[in-house]
Amino acid sequence: MRGVKKRNDSLGMWLKRLEAHRGFLKTTVALANKLTRIIWRILTDSVDFNMNKAFSVS
């Protein structure tokens, strides 16, 4: 979360948008939740990580 302002990728855009709507603390928890789910999926299903799919901005 410290370097989110410097990121211009899909993760950075997702975090900036979420922080604008929900605030810093809720965004931090949402990021931790999302990363945990991604790690779980990679470890249990042996799938490849796709940054654009994981942090798509809709």
Side-chain angles (χ1 to χ4, degrees), residues 1-46:
M1 287 297 301
R2 290 182 195 171
V4 71
K5 306 253 188 274
K6 298 176 186 176
R7 296 186 72 110
N8 291 324
D9 58 356
S10 56
L11 170 61
M13 290 187 302
W14 180 78
L15 287 169
K16 288 174 195 174
R17 187 174 141 210
L18 194 61
E19 186 176 7
H21 293 287
R22 302 288 182 205
F24 180 79
L25 293 178
K26 287 186 179 180
T27 301
T28 303
V29 172
L31 176 61
N33 186 348
K34 190 166 209 48
L35 292 175
T36 302
R37 289 171 183 261
I38 290 169
I39 292 167
W40 179 258
R41 176 84 194 273
I42 291 170
L43 292 175
T44 58
D45 296 340
S46 299

